[in-house]
Amino acid sequence: KYLPVIESALNPSAKSHVGAGGLWQFMPATGRLYGLEVNSLIDERCDPYKSSKAAVAYLKDLYAIYNDWMLVIAAYNCGPGNVNKAIIRAGGTPSNYRGSFWDVYEHLPRETRNYVPLYMGATYAFAYHKAHGVDYPTPPLPLAVDTIMINRPMHLEQVSSTINVSLELLQMLNPEYRLSIIPATTKAYPLTLPTERISEFI
């Protein structure tokens, strides 16, 4: 649960300079590999629910390869290919490597050498903040939302004008629609709305 804090600061619309996107900062090819639709109209890397399911599947697959969570976190950051190269440079064999992240540390990309300790630090901070006198206010309750399936093309402006919900709020609740268009021509797509507006919309 701490990875998306580091990856995107929990911003589902976050984009990186190298093309990664969403809460989990998937690259387009990796997102597609794990079932996320990424094209000019839809970017499901920005859908918190779908991208989280994809990230869990990806992390599970990486763990099946490395059997070590720190190597998994490293591979999540720089890709398993780079981790395998680091293992080989450290004198190991990727298929049966039983060393640690620290054994391959100096052979990893610089960003990854920083990334894993950053993850460890964030995990520690979340777990032990009170022991260091760090506290935070209770966050407000999130907006209650629900989804409805849309089976025809629709612009979020149409929805906004129909049920008097701001376009900005609709875009925040539906960050996967790149142009604020639900392209439901061949299949249904979800529309997330405040719960109290669902029946009015229907």
Side-chain angles (χ1 to χ4, degrees):
K1 68 184 180 182
Y2 304 126
L3 264 182
V5 174
I6 297 165
E7 288 287 348
S8 65
L10 296 179
N11 176 3
S13 300
K15 300 276 190 274
S16 81
H17 67 282
V18 294
L23 277 182
W24 296 89
Q25 290 293 285
F26 272 114
M27 293 299 286
T30 309
R32 289 187 192 102
L33 184 65
Y34 282 86
L36 300 177
E37 188 174 348
V38 182
N39 57 46
S40 60
L41 292 176
I42 297 279
D43 190 348
E44 289 183 337
R45 297 175 302 165
C46 299
D47 180 309
Y49 179 74
K50 289 180 180 175
S51 66
S52 294
K53 282 188 72 174
V56 168
Y58 185 34
L59 290 165
K60 186 177 179 181
D61 287 348
L62 290 173
Y63 189 80
I65 296 169
Y66 298 111
N67 203 37
D68 177 278
W69 281 113
M70 291 303 105
L71 288 173
V72 167
I73 301 298
Y76 189 89
N77 178 252
C78 69
N82 284 318
V83 171
N84 290 345
K85 286 178 195 171
I87 290 170
I88 292 166
R89 289 181 188 132
T93 307
S95 60
N96 63 357
Y97 184 68
R98 291 296 171 257
S100 74
F101 165 78
W102 303 108
D103 296 325
V104 300
Y105 175 85
E106 64 188 47
H107 304 288
L108 289 164
R110 179 179 296 152
E111 180 188 338
T112 306
R113 292 197 303 259
N114 294 331
Y115 182 85
V116 174
L118 179 66
Y119 171 80
M120 294 168 77
T123 303
Y124 179 88
F126 276 101
Y128 298 106
H129 62 277
K130 288 184 180 175
H132 297 279
V134 176
D135 213 345
Y136 55 87
T138 303
L141 285 173
L143 179 67
V145 297
D146 204 349
T147 57
I148 185 169
M149 298 306 290
I150 303 298
N151 55 15
R152 63 180 185 203
M154 192 174 295
H155 197 288
L156 292 182
E157 281 184 352
Q158 292 173 271
V159 180
S160 173
S161 63
T162 301
I163 59 172
N164 195 27
V165 173
S166 74
L167 179 61
E168 292 74 21
L169 178 59
L170 291 174
Q171 290 168 330
M172 184 198 69
L173 294 176
N174 299 276
E176 66 270 32
Y177 300 120
R178 286 185 156 171
L179 303 176
S180 298
I181 296 170
I182 304 171
T185 51
T186 58
K187 67 175 185 178
Y189 284 93
L191 170 66
T192 302
L193 295 172
T195 302
E196 71 270 14
R197 299 293 193 185
I198 290 282
S199 59
E200 183 183 352
F201 178 80
I202 292 170

